[in-house]
Amino acid sequence: MNEVAAEDLVLGIDVGGTTIKGEITDAAGTVISTATVDTPRGVAAFDAMEDLGTRLLGELPAARRAHVTRAAVILPGIVDPERAVAVFSSNVGWRDVKVGDRFGDRWRMPVLIDHDVIVAGWAEWRYGAGRGTDDVCVLIVGTGISGMLSVGGRLVRGAAGQAGEFGHIPVRHRDGLPCPCGNTGCVETVASGPNIARAYSRRTGRGISGAEAVFAALGSDQDARAVVDDAIDAIAEALLGVIHATCPELIVLGGGLAGAGPILTDSLHARLSALLRVTPVPRVALGAFGIRAGLVGAARLARAGSLT
């Protein structure tokens, strides 16, 4: 699929476990129209995606609407982009949803389907914090945990069409919490945003607004420090096999929790330095696009026509 013309616009939809975000952008990345809605549970989420895209397109004057020539919808969980099937999402709650041409028929344009974190990580690798580096592991930490892997300058896809379900690597086999995927002790149960907040509440008996508040309390709250240290340990343990197998030069941290800044990257680098004996310790950096990596990637994918 060829790139769209420089003067054309693209529609990008990024589906997360909490919200669905949409943007229409031009070739320079300027946002023409944007909106966000809550993510419904189950297959109702696909109706919400359709409606959000239709709303954004409807906000444009007719002449400009005609210049929106391609879209990309990026989905969580396991995605089969070749068959346009949303295979499984434990956080949103769908299985084997045949997307097919439903978006293209509704919006009257070609629509690409792909995995949200693969696309966000690809954007960070090709255009953001990993630009110019061939061996990169991007880890997106938010409502869930997933990532992208490039080895020798090539995006790793794997048999399922993606590689990077790091959040479902078990790291607490004996005393772990049940994961929505059906396993026990996955890294997501320790280090995802909602579970960091839950761990703090369980430890202290106090409610907290979210993981960001836990990170904000690190300077003065030993309970917050203990919870964050446990989350960083879990992430480091989950990455050990990946690092030994592929030797990435760089780990890029993105997603909502990357807003914690150097306290997250420095702590993870220190933990990896203490654990690794055979392979070089990779650099750890924050993503360049922050929580917008998915939208940036969706727009780049729609414009380019493929993950090149």
Side-chain angles (χ1 to χ4, degrees), residues 249-291:
E249 179 183 347
L250 172 67
I251 293 172
V252 176
L253 296 179
L257 294 194
I263 197 165
L264 189 62
T265 54
D266 292 350
S267 296
L268 180 58
H269 187 269
R271 185 62 180 142
L272 290 173
S273 298
L275 292 171
L276 290 169
R277 294 289 183 271
V278 178
T279 64
V281 179
R283 294 181 289 117
V284 182
L286 292 175
F289 300 130
I291 60 173

Side-chain angles (χ1 to χ4, degrees), residues 123-154:
E124 284 288 2
W125 169 44
R126 284 300 196 194
Y127 307 103
R131 187 173 183 176
T133 305
D134 285 343
D135 300 284
V136 178
C137 175
V138 180
L139 195 70
I140 305 294
V141 184
T143 304
I145 297 175
S146 191
M148 181 230 69
L149 189 64
S150 70
V151 178
R154 292 173 178 255

Side-chain angles (χ1 to χ4, degrees), residues 12 49-50 53 67 71 82 98 115 127 166 184 265 289 304:
M49 299 171 214
E50 280 190 37
H67 281 281
E82 295 298 322
K98 296 180 180 179
H115 184 258
Y127 307 103
F166 308 130
T184 299
T265 54
F289 300 130

